[in-house]
Amino acid sequence: GDRAFLTVAMMIYDNASPFSPTMTLAHTVTENDGRVILTGFLDLQLSAITQGFLGEIYKVYSGNVSAHGEYFEEFPALSLLHDQGTLSFKVRPYAFGVTNIVVNIWGRDTRTNTLTADHFSAALALTINPVNQPPAFSLSPSHTSITVLEDQFTASGSPFTLSGLIATLTLGPPINASGPAG
Protein backbone atom coordinates (compact mmCIF):
# COMPACT_ATOMS: atom_id res chain seq x y z
CA GLY A 1 0.00 0.00 0.00
CA ASP A 2 0.59 3.60 -0.56
CA ARG A 3 1.34 5.74 2.47
CA ALA A 4 0.27 9.30 2.92
CA PHE A 5 1.64 11.69 5.50
CA LEU A 6 -0.42 14.38 7.03
CA THR A 7 1.30 17.22 8.81
CA VAL A 8 -0.78 19.01 11.40
CA ALA A 9 0.29 22.36 12.81
CA MET A 10 -1.28 23.25 16.14
CA MET A 11 -1.45 26.66 17.66
CA ILE A 12 -2.33 26.53 21.33
CA TYR A 13 -3.81 29.64 22.81
CA ASP A 14 -4.29 30.27 26.48
CA ASN A 15 -7.89 31.32 26.93
CA ALA A 16 -7.65 31.14 30.70
CA SER A 17 -8.68 33.87 33.07
CA PRO A 18 -7.06 37.27 32.54
CA PHE A 19 -4.23 38.35 34.81
CA SER A 20 -6.08 39.76 37.81
CA PRO A 21 -4.06 39.79 41.04
CA THR A 22 -5.59 40.69 44.36
CA MET A 23 -3.84 42.85 46.92
CA THR A 24 -4.43 44.04 50.46
CA LEU A 25 -5.20 47.74 50.02
CA ALA A 26 -4.70 49.01 53.58
CA HIS A 27 -2.42 48.24 56.51
CA THR A 28 -1.71 49.95 59.85
CA VAL A 29 1.55 49.98 61.81
CA THR A 30 2.98 52.00 64.68
CA GLU A 31 6.14 54.02 64.32
CA ASN A 32 8.14 51.65 66.53
CA ASP A 33 7.07 48.30 65.02
CA GLY A 34 10.57 47.69 63.66
CA ARG A 35 10.95 45.84 60.35
CA VAL A 36 7.51 44.96 58.96
CA ILE A 37 7.06 41.98 56.63
CA LEU A 38 3.68 41.60 54.92
CA THR A 39 3.73 38.04 53.59
CA GLY A 40 1.01 37.17 51.11
CA PHE A 41 -0.36 40.72 50.84
CA LEU A 42 -0.38 40.19 47.07
CA ASP A 43 -1.82 37.14 45.26
CA LEU A 44 -0.98 37.02 41.56
CA GLN A 45 -3.82 34.51 41.00
CA LEU A 46 -1.56 32.43 38.76
CA SER A 47 -3.47 29.30 39.70
CA ALA A 48 -6.30 30.74 37.59
CA ILE A 49 -3.98 30.89 34.57
CA THR A 50 -3.31 27.58 32.88
CA GLN A 51 0.39 26.92 33.36
CA GLY A 52 0.66 23.96 30.99
CA PHE A 53 -0.06 25.80 27.75
CA LEU A 54 2.75 26.90 25.49
CA GLY A 55 3.77 30.46 26.22
CA GLU A 56 2.61 30.58 29.80
CA ILE A 57 5.43 28.30 30.86
CA TYR A 58 7.93 30.93 29.68
CA LYS A 59 6.35 33.80 31.53
CA VAL A 60 8.05 35.47 34.47
CA TYR A 61 6.70 38.23 36.64
CA SER A 62 8.57 41.24 37.95
CA GLY A 63 7.56 44.15 40.10
CA ASN A 64 8.61 47.31 41.84
CA VAL A 65 7.28 49.73 44.42
CA SER A 66 7.21 53.48 44.83
CA ALA A 67 6.58 55.40 48.04
CA HIS A 68 7.47 58.58 49.92
CA GLY A 69 10.95 57.82 51.27
CA GLU A 70 10.57 60.32 54.11
CA TYR A 71 8.44 57.81 56.01
CA PHE A 72 10.88 54.91 55.82
CA GLU A 73 14.17 53.96 57.42
CA GLU A 74 14.20 50.91 55.09
CA PHE A 75 12.46 51.68 51.79
CA PRO A 76 9.68 49.20 50.88
CA ALA A 77 10.95 46.16 48.97
CA LEU A 78 8.81 43.75 46.96
CA SER A 79 9.55 40.04 46.64
CA LEU A 80 7.61 37.75 44.30
CA LEU A 81 7.75 34.00 44.88
CA HIS A 82 5.49 31.69 42.88
CA ASP A 83 2.14 33.48 43.00
CA GLN A 84 2.59 35.39 46.28
CA GLY A 85 4.02 38.82 46.97
CA THR A 86 5.81 39.91 50.13
CA LEU A 87 6.41 43.53 51.08
CA SER A 88 9.00 44.53 53.69
CA PHE A 89 9.90 47.94 55.12
CA LYS A 90 10.89 49.75 58.28
CA VAL A 91 9.23 53.00 59.36
CA ARG A 92 11.60 55.73 60.48
CA PRO A 93 11.48 56.85 64.11
CA TYR A 94 8.79 59.43 64.93
CA ALA A 95 7.09 59.10 61.53
CA PHE A 96 3.31 59.16 61.49
CA GLY A 97 0.51 59.78 59.03
CA VAL A 98 -0.84 58.06 55.93
CA THR A 99 1.17 57.30 52.82
CA ASN A 100 0.69 55.13 49.74
CA ILE A 101 2.96 52.33 48.61
CA VAL A 102 2.31 51.79 44.90
CA VAL A 103 2.97 48.26 43.63
CA ASN A 104 3.53 47.56 39.92
CA ILE A 105 3.66 44.02 38.50
CA TRP A 106 4.23 43.01 34.89
CA GLY A 107 4.80 39.85 32.91
CA ARG A 108 7.66 39.20 30.49
CA ASP A 109 7.93 36.43 27.89
CA THR A 110 11.45 35.08 28.28
CA ARG A 111 11.47 33.64 24.74
CA THR A 112 10.99 37.01 23.08
CA ASN A 113 12.14 39.24 25.95
CA THR A 114 8.99 41.32 25.52
CA LEU A 115 6.45 42.53 28.02
CA THR A 116 3.19 40.63 28.00
CA ALA A 117 -0.27 42.09 28.38
CA ASP A 118 -0.16 41.12 32.05
CA HIS A 119 0.14 44.32 34.07
CA PHE A 120 -1.14 45.26 37.51
CA SER A 121 -0.83 48.42 39.57
CA ALA A 122 -2.41 49.21 42.93
CA ALA A 123 -1.76 51.36 45.99
CA LEU A 124 -1.55 50.11 49.54
CA ALA A 125 -2.60 52.84 51.99
CA LEU A 126 -0.21 52.60 54.94
CA THR A 127 -1.32 54.27 58.17
CA ILE A 128 1.50 54.92 60.62
CA ASN A 129 0.26 55.57 64.14
CA PRO A 130 2.50 57.60 66.45
CA VAL A 131 3.51 56.30 69.84
CA ASN A 132 3.20 58.71 72.76
CA GLN A 133 6.80 59.46 73.64
CA PRO A 134 6.84 62.37 76.09
CA PRO A 135 10.14 63.71 77.36
CA ALA A 136 11.58 61.72 80.27
CA PHE A 137 14.41 62.32 82.73
CA SER A 138 16.07 60.83 85.78
CA LEU A 139 17.69 62.65 88.69
CA SER A 140 21.32 62.32 89.53
CA PRO A 141 21.78 59.99 92.55
CA SER A 142 23.65 62.73 94.39
CA HIS A 143 20.64 65.07 94.15
CA THR A 144 17.71 62.95 95.31
CA SER A 145 17.15 65.35 98.18
CA ILE A 146 17.88 69.09 98.17
CA THR A 147 17.68 71.51 101.06
CA VAL A 148 17.71 75.20 100.26
CA LEU A 149 18.01 77.70 103.06
CA GLU A 150 16.44 81.09 102.89
CA ASP A 151 19.76 82.93 103.16
CA GLN A 152 21.24 81.09 100.14
CA PHE A 153 19.68 83.72 97.89
CA THR A 154 21.36 87.07 97.52
CA ALA A 155 19.63 90.30 98.39
CA SER A 156 19.20 91.09 94.68
CA GLY A 157 17.05 87.97 94.20
CA SER A 158 19.55 85.99 92.05
CA PRO A 159 18.38 82.42 91.55
CA PHE A 160 19.96 79.46 93.23
CA THR A 161 21.91 77.29 90.74
CA LEU A 162 22.16 73.52 91.11
CA SER A 163 24.47 71.78 88.63
CA GLY A 164 24.19 68.09 87.76
CA LEU A 165 20.55 67.69 88.80
CA ILE A 166 19.46 65.64 85.76
CA ALA A 167 21.38 62.42 85.01
CA THR A 168 19.57 61.38 81.78
CA LEU A 169 17.18 63.25 79.50
CA THR A 170 15.20 61.76 76.63
CA LEU A 171 13.36 64.20 74.39
CA GLY A 172 10.07 63.41 72.68
CA PRO A 173 9.64 63.47 68.90
CA PRO A 174 10.79 66.49 66.91
CA ILE A 175 8.11 68.99 65.88
CA ASN A 176 8.36 68.03 62.17
CA ALA A 177 8.24 64.28 62.80
CA SER A 178 5.73 63.24 60.13
CA GLY A 179 6.53 62.87 56.45
CA PRO A 180 4.45 64.46 53.71
CA ALA A 181 0.95 63.17 53.11
CA GLY A 182 1.07 60.79 50.22
Side-chain angles (χ1 to χ4, degrees), residues 3 11 33 35 38-39 42 46 52 68 70 85 95 111 114 124 126 138 143 147 157 162-163 166 170:
R3 293 187 179 186
M11 298 293 287
D33 278 350
R35 190 159 192 255
L38 302 178
T39 303
L42 173 68
L46 297 183
H68 288 284
E70 296 87 355
R111 296 170 300 162
T114 57
L124 177 137
L126 181 67
S138 65
H143 295 313
T147 303
L162 180 64
S163 299
I166 297 176
T170 305

Side-chain angles (χ1 to χ4, degrees), residues 13-97:
Y13 296 97
D14 182 5
N15 292 323
S17 303
F19 182 65
S20 58
T22 58
M23 187 175 105
T24 301
L25 298 178
H27 191 73
T28 301
V29 297
T30 60
E31 65 172 276
N32 60 354
D33 278 350
R35 190 159 192 255
V36 177
I37 299 173
L38 302 178
T39 303
F41 88 104
L42 173 68
D43 186 350
L44 294 178
Q45 302 285 326
L46 297 183
S47 58
I49 299 174
T50 306
Q51 295 294 308
F53 285 113
L54 227 61
E56 289 298 326
I57 201 165
Y58 299 105
K59 195 175 289 183
V60 295
Y61 290 89
S62 303
N64 66 16
V65 295
S66 60
H68 288 284
E70 296 87 355
Y71 282 98
F72 301 100
E73 190 171 294
E74 289 180 20
F75 195 79
L78 177 66
S79 170
L80 298 175
L81 182 62
H82 304 296
D83 64 347
Q84 295 294 308
T86 299
L87 187 68
S88 61
F89 57 87
K90 185 175 181 182
V91 175
R92 74 174 173 80
Y94 308 121
F96 62 91

Side-chain angles (χ1 to χ4, degrees), residues 147-160:
T147 303
V148 179
L149 301 175
E150 170 181 12
D151 61 354
Q152 285 182 298
F153 294 95
T154 63
S156 66
S158 296
F160 173 74

Side-chain angles (χ1 to χ4, degrees), residues 92-96 130 133 135 171-180:
R92 74 174 173 80
Y94 308 121
F96 62 91
Q133 296 169 331
L171 300 177
I175 292 172
N176 59 351
S178 70

